[in-house]
Amino acid sequence: MPQRRLLYRRPSEPHSIEVVVDEAVYSVRVRRHRQARRYTLRIQAATREVILTIPPRGALKEACEFAQKHGGWIAARLGRLPQAAPFADGTMLPLRGIPHRITHRVDMRGTVWTETTAEGEQLLCVAGKMPHIQRRVGDFLRREAKRDLESASRRFAAELGVVVKRVTVRDQSSRWGSCSTTGLLSYSWRLILAPSIVLDYLAAHEVAHLVEMNHSTKFWRLVQRLSPGHKCAKAWLDAHGSDLHRYGLPDANCELG
């Protein structure tokens, strides 16, 4: 092993540490980065994860002291994030932009389906045992997202005379969609939570990349042709997109002492 790399080696370090602020305990993931020049803290808004980065020659003890010193900042930033909304009985979540209340139907067969009450309330009903609600709702939303996104993508592809090879859905935190030159399209399943005009815009955006792999004027003309309301959809996503990432997350990022 090169001597330079030996300098950066450390004994086994913890994957995470705990920072205590006013009796609340926050979990902080620890990572050592060779290009880091100082201790830094950042929060992934999509996952609500706190990350402490340590430079190659940094000391874990000093890093822990740095994190604890900035515990108030961690608490404040997490407090400003939208409240996590787990997939649980009674949780309200949007489906195609329409609020639905998750309702556990313990005595019924099936998996997940939608209903409308006599009062007009939209329900997302889940059968089976309580511990399966989280998984069943997540699987249902992914299936619905795949169906809607594949349908929209292939419809737009037909309009442009291009071929979509495959459509996949994942839980991306950094982008809503991506396109390869070989016709592979990938989207965030969370788009099924947004109004349909937003999902259609993202599908149009990625399909247009099959013709113009850039964001030139020609590209945006194609998007306009496929999705005339794309400006409103983009504005909605810019304003509310980060909120979509809170659904399905655990109840809290800290434990009260």
Side-chain angles (χ1 to χ4, degrees):
M1 180 180 294
Q3 186 176 2
R4 185 168 180 270
R5 289 190 62 185
L6 284 171
L7 293 174
Y8 300 151
R9 294 186 66 185
R10 292 290 186 275
S12 179
E13 292 182 338
H15 294 293
S16 65
I17 62 172
E18 292 182 340
V19 171
V20 181
V21 182
D22 295 332
E23 297 186 347
V25 182
Y26 299 90
S27 178
V28 178
R29 181 161 69 88
V30 176
R31 66 189 288 264
R32 191 177 290 275
H33 198 284
R34 66 173 54 189
Q35 294 181 342
R37 295 291 179 266
R38 64 186 187 279
Y39 303 115
T40 60
L41 281 167
R42 65 187 178 92
I43 295 176
Q44 293 271 22
T47 60
R48 303 171 70 90
E49 183 181 35
V50 186
I51 302 172
L52 169 63
T53 300
I54 307 175
R57 300 175 189 272
L60 180 62
K61 182 177 183 295
E62 291 182 352
C64 293
E65 292 173 350
F66 172 83
Q68 184 60 55
K69 178 182 177 182
H70 293 85
W73 178 86
I74 294 173
R77 289 294 297 269
L78 287 174
R80 288 200 293 267
L81 293 177
Q83 185 177 0
F87 296 149
D89 185 40
T91 295
M92 295 295 297
L93 84 163
L95 176 61
R96 299 181 179 90
I98 301 173
H100 285 65
R101 179 165 57 86
I102 297 177
T103 304
H104 186 208
R105 296 290 176 81
V106 63
D107 297 324
M108 296 187 66
R109 289 189 171 186
T111 53
V112 181
W113 66 95
T114 59
E115 287 184 7
T116 304
T117 67
E119 294 76 23
E121 183 183 14
Q122 300 293 321
L123 305 180
L124 187 64
C125 303
V126 189
K129 298 181 179 179
M130 183 76 72
H132 301 319
I133 293 179
Q134 174 87 8
R135 176 181 56 81
R136 288 192 169 186
V137 172
D139 289 347
F140 170 80
L141 293 173
R142 284 170 173 79
R143 287 194 301 270
E144 293 296 296
K146 173 75 181 301
R147 184 178 65 180
D148 285 14
L149 285 162
E150 185 153 24
S151 174
S153 297
R154 297 196 183 280
R155 182 175 73 252
F156 292 142
E159 289 188 40
L160 297 183
V162 294
V163 176
V164 172
K165 187 175 181 180
R166 189 172 67 202
V167 174
T168 60
V169 295
R170 299 184 297 165
D171 194 9
Q172 299 134 306
S173 60
S174 60
R175 60 174 62 184
W176 295 107
S178 61
C179 168
S180 76
T181 55
T182 58
L184 303 179
L185 305 183
S186 179
Y187 299 97
S188 168
W189 67 263
R190 295 176 183 276
L191 290 169
I192 197 64
L193 305 175
S196 295
I197 188 175
V198 176
L199 183 145
D200 281 352
Y201 155 63
L202 261 297
H205 186 113
E206 300 308 330
V207 170
H209 276 313
L210 294 175
V211 179
E212 294 288 338
M213 193 61 74
N214 51 57
H215 289 99
S216 63
T217 302
K218 290 183 179 180
F219 167 81
W220 286 110
R221 285 175 182 167
L222 290 174
V223 175
Q224 174 67 24
R225 172 181 163 188
L226 298 175
S227 177
H230 73 91
K231 291 184 179 180
C232 291
K234 187 177 184 303
W236 188 97
L237 201 58
D238 290 342
H240 306 288
S242 61
D243 189 59
L244 302 183
H245 288 287
R246 71 188 182 98
Y247 294 99
L249 292 177
D251 284 300
N253 288 271
C254 62
E255 299 175 359
L256 293 180

